Amino acid sequence: MGSTAKAIVPPVQTETVDKSTGWKKSLGSGSFFVVANILAGIINYLFQVLASKQLSASDFSSLNGWFADFAIFFFVGGLLQFASLFYPVSRSPVMRATIAINISCLSLVAAWFIGGGGQTLDRALIIVFAGSLFGLLMGQLQYRKMFYVIGFANLLMAGSKLGIATFSIDSLEIAERFRFAMFANFFPALWLMTFYLWKYAADAA
């Protein structure tokens, strides 16, 4: 009498996909980081186009020459960002550090206007110092692999710079508005980075 062999089929396990985390994974991908930086580059180019159209030839060349003279010192911010990868700050210190950096950067706004107008050495040092503090927080984000936040921050900086230069400020003449845009463009990105670092610290608690 023959017997019928029955295939043993293992139970099918269905995988539940958490759709709420899908957009975070997408934003955290390298592709988003690359696209965000490309868009930031385009916006920065538009800033230069706007400056060339609204400023006189002498003011435009003077503004870019002034920025180029001290831009080499931005390596300080790069070094601090790189060092943050080896010296990550834990939860409580990073929260205190973000508060101190935000207060310091806001005080630089007062120093910017108190020091008088024009393209001065004092203002160049203010931009370099602010960029250095910004680099510290950027490094903390990079250590935590929050590349989607870094991409957003770069995009936000470019957009803020163009926005400040585009919208007229009654108390500032045109050239002064472009100088201020080159300094203050990082504030929205700083607040974005602060929010996500605090959120990360809260989630890790």
Side-chain angles (χ1 to χ4, degrees):
M1 183 175 177
S3 60
T4 304
K6 295 183 179 179
I8 300 176
V9 180
V12 178
Q13 296 181 355
T14 58
E15 183 178 352
T16 303
V17 179
D18 186 2
K19 294 181 179 180
S20 65
T21 60
W23 67 272
K24 291 183 180 179
K25 291 180 180 179
S26 177
L27 291 180
S29 67
S31 59
F32 172 79
F33 179 78
V34 171
V35 171
N37 281 282
I38 291 174
L39 291 175
I42 294 173
I43 296 173
N44 282 321
Y45 172 75
L46 294 177
F47 173 83
Q48 291 292 327
V49 172
L50 182 67
S52 67
K53 291 183 178 299
Q54 293 197 5
L55 298 175
S56 65
S58 60
D59 285 342
F60 178 72
S61 61
S62 177
L63 178 68
N64 281 284
W66 175 65
F67 187 80
D69 285 340
F70 66 81
I72 188 174
F73 294 104
F74 284 144
F75 79 90
V76 177
L79 288 176
L80 291 174
Q81 179 178 343
F82 182 72
S84 295
L85 299 177
F86 299 95
Y87 301 98
V89 182
S90 58
R91 184 174 64 88
S92 295
V94 79
M95 297 176 76
R96 292 194 296 267
T98 55
I99 294 174
I101 289 175
N102 274 270
I103 293 174
S104 298
C105 289
L106 287 173
S107 68
L108 293 177
V109 177
W112 177 271
F113 290 108
I114 291 173
Q119 292 153 192
T120 62
L121 176 61
D122 292 343
R123 285 186 163 184
L125 293 176
I126 287 173
I127 294 178
V128 171
F129 182 65
S132 300
L133 295 178
F134 189 81
L136 275 173
L137 290 189
M138 188 71 80
Q140 293 300 316
L141 289 172
Q142 189 173 348
Y143 171 79
R144 290 164 174 81
K145 296 181 174 63
M146 302 171 74
F147 295 108
Y148 61 95
V149 181
I150 297 175
F152 265 131
N154 290 334
L155 192 58
L156 197 54
M157 278 194 296
S160 300
K161 183 166 67 173
L162 183 62
I164 294 172
T166 301
F167 297 106
S168 62
I169 304 174
D170 294 335
S171 59
L172 299 178
E173 49 102 7
I174 296 178
E176 186 65 15
R177 193 170 73 225
F178 278 91
R179 295 186 199 105
F180 186 66
M182 296 176 78
F183 158 60
N185 65 83
F186 77 98
F187 276 104
L190 174 66
W191 298 328
L192 175 76
M193 291 161 58
T194 299
F195 170 78
Y196 273 98
L197 283 172
W198 274 61
K199 184 177 182 299
Y200 183 92
D203 292 342

